[in-house]
């Protein structure tokens, strides 16, 4: 994908995150803007690094590394990064990820349907197992930490 396409997707994602943050959590546009710009800036740097560095790491790995570097205490911009990112509720970007995943799956629905009804049962079992496993682990950790 070209950088122009990445920039367009980042603008769409940023607007979606700001909208989700406003609608779901009543955080004003101006308050959300620095945090969204920080998150998108980290993402943009990760995309560029994935193209420049010859290691075959996924963009998510580069994004995590860049995020850790700019937010670590020795970074001169860490306080700004942390303060700005704290204005973005965690579920606001996840809303956009879910939407993008849905669009991506929507393009592949015909090939998924060709797999047959057995694949649908497997998908339901896998999703249910993942949910129940996550709920069990969350309950265990919350119980051990006396949070519930």
């Amino acid at each position: 994908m070209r950088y122009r396409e990445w920039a367009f997707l980042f603008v769409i994602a940023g607007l979606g995150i700001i909208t989700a943050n406003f609608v779901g959590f009543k955080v004003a546009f101006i308050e959300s803007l620095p945090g969204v710009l920080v998150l998108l800036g980290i993402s943009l740097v990760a995309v560029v690094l994935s193209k420049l560095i010859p290691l075959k790491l996924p963009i998510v790995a580069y994004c995590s590394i860049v995020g850790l570097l700019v937010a670590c205490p020795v970074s001169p911009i860490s306080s700004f990064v942390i303060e700005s990112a704290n204005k973005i509720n965690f579920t606001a970007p996840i809303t956009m990820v879910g939407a993008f995943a849905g669009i991506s799956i929507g393009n592949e629905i015909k090939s998924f349907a060709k797999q047959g009804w057995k694949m649908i049962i497997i998908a339901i079992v896998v999703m249910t197992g993942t949910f129940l496993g996550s709920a069990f682990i969350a309950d265990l950790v919350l119980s051990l930490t006396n949070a519930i």
Side-chain angles (χ1 to χ4, degrees), residues 18-112:
I18 287 173
T19 303
N21 212 29
F22 175 72
V23 171
F25 307 101
K26 307 293 187 251
V27 179
F29 174 82
I30 296 300
E31 285 182 60
S32 296
L33 189 59
V36 169
L37 291 176
V38 164
L39 295 177
L40 295 179
I42 290 169
S43 302
L44 183 62
V45 169
V47 168
V48 172
L49 286 176
S50 73
K51 305 294 182 199
L52 295 177
I53 298 176
L55 292 174
K56 295 294 180 194
L57 292 175
I59 293 174
V60 173
Y62 287 108
C63 198
S64 298
I65 293 167
V66 171
L68 287 170
L69 290 175
V70 297
C72 74
V74 296
S75 171
I77 59 171
S78 68
S79 61
F80 173 74
V81 168
I82 293 169
E83 182 180 315
S84 299
N86 277 339
K87 299 264 190 328
I88 306 298
N89 191 293
F90 177 72
T91 55
I94 297 301
T95 304
M96 291 304 297
V97 170
F100 288 144
I103 291 170
S104 171
I105 291 172
N107 290 337
E108 302 294 327
I109 198 74
K110 288 180 183 175
S111 64
F112 183 72

